[in-house]
């Protein structure tokens, strides 16, 4: 079980299981020389190495090696070779190449004897490891034949060409070609590897919960950043690379949200009432868990709430639902789960564009040049109806500044004259948009944290909103995906604004009991508004949103369409959750996002992304709001982000949260 968790990146879950197994085997091996005990030492050491805890890993590897050496007098036991290989890998990871090389060579000799036909996966792994050491030290001529031999063996052992080890060999040999400037030889290997890795998501996602999908994808996400770096170096020689990384973005961006949405669609349209009930039970459990995260830990203990058990129950139920959805009508993979073809290309997007339109994929990437650097870059890939050979590429090399001082400048100048942001975030892209009036834009990184429409052109004093129609999409493949007609009838328009962030418990219960008072088009004219009394300690009042939402409401009313307006104390979380398929849902309030600043070490195969050090809030709206449960909120970005509604501040400050009922004014994503 620990091995399964480790292979999918769930290291924190794996560690206590490995430790428990090791304790049992230690008792069963009084002399400390049993091969199973050595195996446990090795497994725990490998986990520590994977998470950068090299000092913890080394003595365990050495102890395992000592036991296996005694159990292998002739020095030809495969587990002994494995221990040599593992300790060498640790030395290699920490730059102790002179210590690593003889161990790698000794392991390779043993594996060669145990694999007379030269086709054993362990032998291929040994070839690959020694090649990696040579590659790391610039001995490319020594590394190349070893990489080639390993790749050849793995190709034979993977007849369908879909094994991740084969993808690893393709990436490694391509990396050597990249380092030596042989881009034309690297390109086909990298393309093949990317298809295998995308296939891994298709083959495995149906067996995992949402959190597990995210963790699994992170185990090879860094490869796609490597493909972006390769493109930046090689696209002048191989222009078609821009189309390849555009296709990769279509396959990987928004993957987790997309798979969750499609699971929901499949279940709700299945006709299986039991499955639907289980799905509703899952939603209730997840909703409750989201609320529990906002309750201080001491309060949970008083109320007998066990977060870990709730998380496990929700996780297990979600996996069952995901498997059930994937198996509906005999569909076993992600393509079936999506209900249409999975692997779209940039040419599919181009075919959906009209004259004067463009599709833009923004890609945030770290830069790799023989090793990972601290540089962050942004790439904008642009497709127009007339695009023929490949998407146009705009490179914004100042990613670190865009996420640092320029973002701080943008936020500080929200209400002032912004003379800089348009030039930094948009002007290089705008130069490629001559004649374009409408853009479908898929954001990434810092582009999720700015509103392009509000950027002002200092030369004309016009906002971008006045010069260009921008439609933000999760992925530009949204233009292509088959859209099934909805079988759910659309309800009235719901317009909500200027929440009353402070609201006492009794007043809240009265509003819920009366289902909130709303002004409805063509009907009741009496409605509740809070005037100028909303400013409070946590979230600033938004008087402008009252004007905004009233005007929107009046537009619908003038057209004779059904609409409901909820202002002030009536802008409740319950209203949104109880709305029945609203035709339009317009909400004007503050949002929040708790950034995940947990970092993993930069290893042989890095698995971390560079993210903000601090909690990232809606700066304009937040005045010192804190939560006692930040660590828990880092588990899932959909739990860590959302909007704030009526009584959120009162609830957050209250020491007796039970009197408020079930909703807390935080509506998570």
């Amino acid at each position: 079980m620990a091995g399964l968790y480790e292979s999918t990146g769930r290291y924190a879950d794996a560690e206590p299981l490995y430790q428990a197994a090791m304790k049992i085997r230690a008792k069963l091996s009084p002399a400390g020389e049993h091969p199973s005990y050595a195996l446990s030492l090795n497994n725990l050491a490998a986990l520590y190495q994977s998470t950068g805890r090299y000092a913890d890993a080394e003595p365990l590897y050495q102890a395992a090696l000592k036991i296996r050496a005694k159990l292998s007098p002739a020095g030809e036991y495969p587990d002994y070779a494995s221990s040599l290989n593992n300790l060498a890998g640790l030395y290699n990871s920490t730059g102790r190449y002179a210590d690593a090389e003889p161990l790698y060579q000794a392991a390779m000799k043993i594996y060669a004897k145990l694999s007379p036909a030269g086709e054993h996966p362990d032998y291929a792994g040994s070839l690959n490891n020694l090649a990696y050491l040579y590659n790391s030290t610039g001995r490319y001529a020594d590394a190349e034949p070893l990489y080639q031999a390993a790749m050849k063996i793995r190709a034979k052992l993977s007849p369908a060409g879909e094994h991740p080890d084969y993808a690893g060999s393709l990436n490694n040999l391509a990396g050597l070609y990249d380092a030596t400037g042989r881009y034309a030889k690297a390109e086909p290997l990298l393309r093949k590897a990317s298809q295998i890795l995308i296939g891994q998501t298709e083959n495995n996602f149906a067996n995992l919960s949402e959190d597990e999908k995210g963790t699994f994808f992170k185990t090879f996400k860094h490869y796609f950043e490597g493909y972006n770096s390769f493109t930046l170096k090689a696209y002048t020689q191989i222009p078609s690379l821009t189309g390849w990384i555009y296709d990769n973005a279509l396959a990987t961006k928004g993957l987790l949200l997309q798979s969750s949405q499609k699971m929901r669609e499949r279940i709700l349209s299945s006709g299986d009432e039991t499955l639907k009930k289980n799905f509703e039970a899952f939603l209730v459990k997840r909703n409750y868990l989201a609320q529990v995260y906002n309750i201080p830990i001491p309060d949970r203990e008083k109320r007998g709430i066990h977060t870990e058990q709730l998380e496990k129950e929700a996780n297990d139920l979600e996996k069952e639902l995901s498997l059930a959805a994937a198996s509906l009508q005999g569909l076993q993979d992600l393509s079936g789960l999506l209900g249409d073809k999975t692997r779209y290309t940039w040419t599919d997007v181009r075919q959906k564009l009209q004259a004067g339109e463009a599709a833009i994929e923004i890609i945030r990437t770290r830069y790799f040049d023989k090793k990972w650097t601290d540089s962050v870059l942004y790439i904008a890939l642009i497709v127009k109806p007339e695009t023929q050979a490949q998407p146009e590429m705009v490179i914004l090399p100042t990613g670190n500044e865009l996420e640092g001082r320029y973002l701080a400048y943008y936020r500080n100048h929200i209400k002032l004259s912004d003379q800089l942001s348009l030039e930094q975030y948009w002007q290089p892209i705008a130069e490629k948009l001559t004649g374009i009036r409408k853009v479908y834009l898929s954001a990434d990184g810092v582009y999720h944290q700015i509103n392009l429409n509000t950027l002002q052109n200092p030369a004309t004093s016009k906002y971008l909103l006045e010069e260009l129609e921008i439609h933000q999409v999760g992925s530009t493949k949204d233009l292509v995906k088959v859209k099934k007609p909805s079988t759910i009838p659309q309800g009235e328009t719901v317009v909500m604004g200027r929440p009353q962030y402070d609201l006492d418990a009794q007043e809240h219960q009265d509003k819920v009991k009366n289902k909130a008072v709303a002004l409805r088009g063509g009907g009741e004219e009496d409605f509740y508004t809070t005037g100028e009394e909303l400013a409070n300690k946590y979230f600033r009042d938004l008087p402008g949103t009252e004007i905004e939402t009233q005007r929107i409401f009046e537009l619908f009313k003038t057209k004779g369409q059904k609409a409901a307006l909820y202002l002030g104390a009536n802008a409740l979380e319950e209203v949104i959750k109880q709305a029945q398929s609203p035709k339009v849902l317009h909400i004007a309030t503050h949002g929040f996002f708790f950034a995940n600043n947990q970092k993993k070490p930069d290893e042989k195969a890095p698995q971390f992304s560079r993210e903000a050090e601090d909690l990232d809030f809606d700066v304009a709206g937040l005045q010192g709001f804190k939560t006692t449960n930040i660590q828990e909120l880092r588990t899932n970005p959909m739990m860590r982000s959302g909007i704030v509604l009526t009584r959120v501040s009162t609830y957050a400050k209250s020491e007796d949260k039970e009197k408020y009922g079930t909703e807390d004014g935080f509506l998570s994503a």
Side-chain angles (χ1 to χ4, degrees):
M1 185 62 77
L4 174 66
Y5 289 154
E6 183 180 8
S7 67
T8 54
R10 296 170 60 185
Y11 304 118
D13 294 327
E15 184 176 356
L17 300 183
Y18 274 143
Q19 289 172 331
M22 188 171 72
K23 285 181 181 178
I24 295 169
R25 287 172 168 169
K27 287 182 179 180
L28 297 172
S29 176
E33 295 184 359
H34 196 278
S36 293
Y37 178 56
L39 178 63
S40 271
L41 291 165
N42 180 78
N43 289 341
L44 187 57
L47 179 75
Y48 289 153
Q49 183 179 347
S50 296
T51 53
R53 295 163 62 181
Y54 303 120
D56 294 328
E58 185 173 356
L60 299 180
Y61 273 146
Q62 289 173 333
L65 179 67
K66 189 175 180 181
I67 294 169
R68 287 170 168 176
K70 288 184 179 180
L71 296 171
S72 178
E76 295 183 0
Y77 191 57
D79 283 351
Y80 176 58
S82 177
S83 270
L84 290 166
N85 190 64
N86 292 333
L87 187 57
L90 178 72
Y91 291 153
N92 193 37
S93 296
T94 53
R96 295 162 63 181
Y97 303 119
D99 293 328
E101 185 174 357
L103 300 181
Y104 271 147
Q105 290 172 332
M108 190 171 70
K109 286 180 181 178
I110 295 170
Y111 284 133
K113 288 183 179 179
L114 297 171
S115 177
E119 294 184 359
H120 196 277
D122 288 342
Y123 180 52
S126 194
L127 289 165
N128 183 78
N129 291 338
L130 185 57
Y132 186 86
L133 182 144
Y134 291 153
N135 189 68
S136 299
T137 54
R139 295 164 61 182
Y140 302 120
D142 293 328
E144 185 174 353
L146 299 179
Y147 271 149
Q148 289 172 329
M151 187 175 72
K152 190 174 180 180
I153 295 169
R154 287 172 168 174
K156 286 185 178 180
L157 296 172
S158 178
E162 295 181 356
H163 197 279
D165 284 350
Y166 179 47
S169 273
L170 291 164
N171 280 319
N172 289 339
L173 184 57
L176 184 146
Y177 292 147
D178 175 13
T180 53
R182 290 178 281 174
Y183 300 144
K185 297 194 76 170
E187 181 216 2
L189 303 180
L190 293 175
R191 285 182 182 266
K192 175 63 176 174
S194 71
Q195 292 302 300
I196 294 172
L197 294 175
I198 291 168
Q200 286 295 303
T201 65
E202 295 174 0
N203 294 334
N204 290 290
F205 263 29
N207 304 302
L208 304 174
S209 70
E210 185 178 278
D211 288 346
E212 291 168 349
K213 289 171 187 173
T215 303
F216 175 64
F217 182 65
K218 284 179 183 176
T219 61
F220 53 81
K221 176 186 174 184
H222 60 280
Y223 285 123
F224 289 92
E225 291 186 287
Y227 303 152
N228 297 333
S229 294
F230 176 76
T231 297
L232 292 171
K233 288 180 280 187
Y235 80 98
T236 54
Q237 296 181 28
I238 312 171
S240 64
L241 287 173
T242 62
W244 171 52
I245 62 169
Y246 195 115
D247 294 347
N248 286 343
L250 294 181
T252 59
K253 191 184 283 188
L255 190 62
L256 306 183
L257 180 60
Q258 175 196 141
S259 64
S260 294
Q261 288 173 332
K262 294 304 176 181
M263 179 186 78
R264 173 192 175 101
E265 290 174 13
R266 293 285 288 159
I267 290 172
L268 294 183
S269 61
S270 68
D272 186 329
E273 295 305 319
T274 300
L275 192 57
K276 289 181 183 179
K277 286 180 181 178
N278 289 341
F279 182 67
E280 291 298 325
F282 164 69
L283 293 180
V284 169
K285 197 171 290 290
R286 278 291 292 270
N287 184 46
Y288 178 58
L289 188 56
Q291 294 159 7
V292 165
Y293 284 144
N294 292 320
I295 301 173
I297 292 173
D299 289 356
R300 291 186 219 160
E301 292 173 350
K302 287 180 186 177
R303 294 162 63 176
I305 298 173
H306 303 288
T307 312
E308 295 81 4
Q309 182 61 30
L310 289 171
E311 289 171 341
K312 184 180 184 305
E313 290 170 3
N315 202 59
D316 291 346
L317 187 52
E318 186 180 7
K319 286 195 285 189
E320 290 175 16
L321 290 167
S322 183
L323 278 168
S327 64
L328 287 170
Q329 299 176 9
L331 297 168
Q332 299 295 331
D333 59 13
L334 189 62
S335 58
L337 189 59
L338 293 175
D340 51 25
K341 75 169 186 172
T342 305
R343 300 193 189 180
Y344 297 104
T345 68
W346 69 268
T347 56
D348 294 324
V349 174
R350 180 187 62 189
Q351 291 172 7
K352 294 294 182 178
L353 296 173
Q354 304 297 316
E357 296 180 346
I360 302 177
E361 282 286 345
I362 302 285
I363 300 173
R364 178 198 188 275
T365 189
R366 294 176 300 154
Y367 191 66
F368 184 87
D369 187 13
K370 296 184 181 177
K371 64 179 182 179
W372 290 103
T373 70
D374 290 331
S375 297
V376 173
L377 300 94
Y378 280 83
I379 301 169
L381 298 170
I382 304 170
V383 173
K384 306 170 188 174
E386 61 270 23
T387 302
Q388 293 300 319
Q390 64 277 325
E392 293 182 85
M393 182 165 68
V394 176
I395 303 168
L396 291 89
T398 58
N400 298 79
E401 288 77 14
L402 292 177
E403 296 176 358
R405 62 190 183 98
Y406 292 136
L407 181 60
Y409 176 91
Y410 164 82
R411 287 173 167 170
N412 290 332
H413 289 75
I414 289 278
K415 297 182 179 181
L416 304 172
S417 177
D418 188 338
Q419 301 292 312
L420 187 62
S421 295
L422 185 81
E423 176 187 353
Q424 296 299 325
Y425 290 102
W426 189 251
Q427 192 57 43
I429 299 172
E431 292 172 3
K432 300 289 186 180
L433 299 178
T434 303
I436 296 299
R437 53 181 173 75
K438 181 187 290 187
V439 165
Y440 298 96
L441 183 135
S442 172
D444 198 10
V446 73
Y447 282 83
H448 284 302
Q449 299 183 55
I450 63 171
N451 185 345
L452 290 171
N453 284 315
T454 67
L455 303 186
Q456 191 174 24
N457 187 337
T460 64
S461 295
K462 286 188 174 183
Y463 294 98
L464 189 54
L465 176 69
E466 300 175 271
E467 299 178 341
L468 188 66
E469 186 179 342
I470 298 178
H471 292 259
Q472 191 152 324
V473 293
S475 166
T476 55
K477 68 169 170 270
D478 291 348
L479 279 67
V480 186
K481 290 194 301 185
V482 177
K483 292 182 175 62
K484 297 179 181 179
S486 175
T487 58
I488 303 173
Q490 289 185 330
E492 65 184 3
T493 287
V494 174
V495 185
M496 181 179 289
R498 200 177 186 183
Q500 186 175 339
Y501 303 116
D502 273 319
L503 186 70
D504 67 42
Q506 186 56 52
E507 189 176 0
H508 173 252
Q509 292 299 331
D510 291 343
K511 294 299 176 186
V512 173
K513 187 176 180 181
N514 296 327
K515 296 186 178 177
V517 183
L519 175 64
R520 299 180 183 279
E524 186 180 348
E525 294 293 327
D526 213 7
F527 67 103
Y528 183 86
T529 184
T530 58
E532 299 297 323
E533 301 298 322
L534 294 181
N536 58 72
K537 183 179 178 183
Y538 293 102
F539 291 93
R540 292 179 186 170
D541 180 25
L542 296 173
T545 66
E546 182 172 343
I547 301 169
E548 168 192 333
T549 50
Q550 284 179 326
R551 287 183 178 175
I552 290 170
F553 169 71
E554 290 296 333
L555 283 172
F556 280 96
K557 186 177 175 183
T558 301
K559 295 294 183 181
Q561 296 190 30
K562 292 176 64 178
L565 176 64
Y566 297 89
L567 287 171
N570 299 307
L572 296 166
E573 184 178 355
E574 289 89 339
V575 171
I576 296 175
K577 290 185 173 180
Q578 293 168 12
Q580 296 296 312
S581 303
K583 182 177 182 180
V584 173
L585 177 61
H586 182 92
I587 310 169
T589 184
H590 291 299
F592 71 93
F593 173 65
F594 297 100
N596 181 354
N597 66 359
Q598 293 174 325
K599 293 182 180 180
K600 292 190 173 75
D602 194 352
E603 305 154 18
K604 180 168 62 175
Q607 298 171 0
F608 71 95
S609 59
R610 191 174 185 276
E611 296 178 291
E613 288 288 348
D614 302 314
L615 291 174
D616 184 17
F617 296 111
D618 172 356
V619 178
L622 199 59
Q623 300 179 32
F625 178 80
K626 295 183 184 297
T627 174
T628 59
N629 307 309
I630 298 298
Q631 282 300 123
E632 291 172 336
L633 290 172
R634 287 180 180 148
T635 57
N636 185 330
M638 301 294 282
M639 292 283 199
R640 293 188 273 112
S641 55
I643 59 174
V644 291
L645 297 164
T646 289
R647 82 180 183 88
V648 62
S649 296
T650 314
Y651 183 92
K653 291 181 290 184
S654 172
E655 294 182 1
D656 183 9
K657 293 179 169 53
E658 287 190 82
K659 67 182 180 181
Y660 286 94
T662 58
E663 305 298 354
D664 53 20
F666 276 94
L667 187 65
S668 72

